[in-house]
Amino acid sequence: MGWLITKYMLTAAVVVLVSEVAKRSDKIGGFIAALPLVTFLALIWLYVEKQPEAKIANHAWYTFWYVVPTLPMFLAFPVLLPRIGFWLSMLSSIGITVVCFGLFALVVRHFGIELLP
């Protein structure tokens, strides 16, 4: 149980770090947020917990493919924010991400990459 709490605390610290840095500097906050810190932590947790190398490698592989369809949201959100407000921009960004993911999954399926269960 102590290990699980440690994992929660360290992972939460990353989110708090990003939000605190972003308050002081948009650029540095964005840079840190763009780093795959959560993925690095997940890979470390998998390794420390003695998961097979294939599982760790698959995690990194699929993370790459799941990140790609989220990128349009980062362009849409700042455009939508001054027009429709924060919460509608968030909701719209979620919708955009879901649609992009679905379309992306259909496209990459033709290349032998299965993203949908």
Side-chain angles (χ1 to χ4, degrees):
M1 186 63 148
W3 177 241
L4 185 60
I5 292 170
T6 301
K7 285 174 30 177
Y8 276 124
M9 296 298 288
L10 287 171
T11 305
V14 168
V15 175
V16 171
L17 172 72
V18 170
S19 67
E20 289 301 311
V21 170
K23 283 187 211 175
R24 290 158 182 77
S25 170
D26 298 334
K27 289 180 183 176
I28 296 173
F31 173 73
I32 294 171
L35 295 172
L37 297 173
V38 172
T39 300
F40 286 151
L41 284 173
L43 295 171
I44 291 167
W45 301 151
L46 290 169
Y47 177 77
V48 168
E49 293 171 352
K50 304 203 182 324
Q51 293 298 310
E53 283 185 4
K55 184 169 208 58
I56 297 169
N58 279 340
H59 179 78
W61 168 260
Y62 284 111
T63 299
F64 169 80
W65 292 108
Y66 289 130
V67 164
V68 174
T70 69
L71 297 177
M73 182 276 301
F74 292 104
L75 297 174
F77 184 81
V79 170
L80 295 172
L81 184 58
R83 290 171 172 79
I84 62 174
F86 181 81
W87 292 112
L88 282 177
S89 295
M90 288 294 284
L91 188 60
S92 298
S93 294
I94 291 167
I96 289 166
T97 301
V98 169
V99 169
C100 287
F101 178 78
L103 294 172
F104 187 73
L106 292 174
V107 169
V108 298
R109 178 181 287 163
H110 295 291
F111 300 98
I113 300 166
E114 286 292 331
L115 297 180
L116 298 173

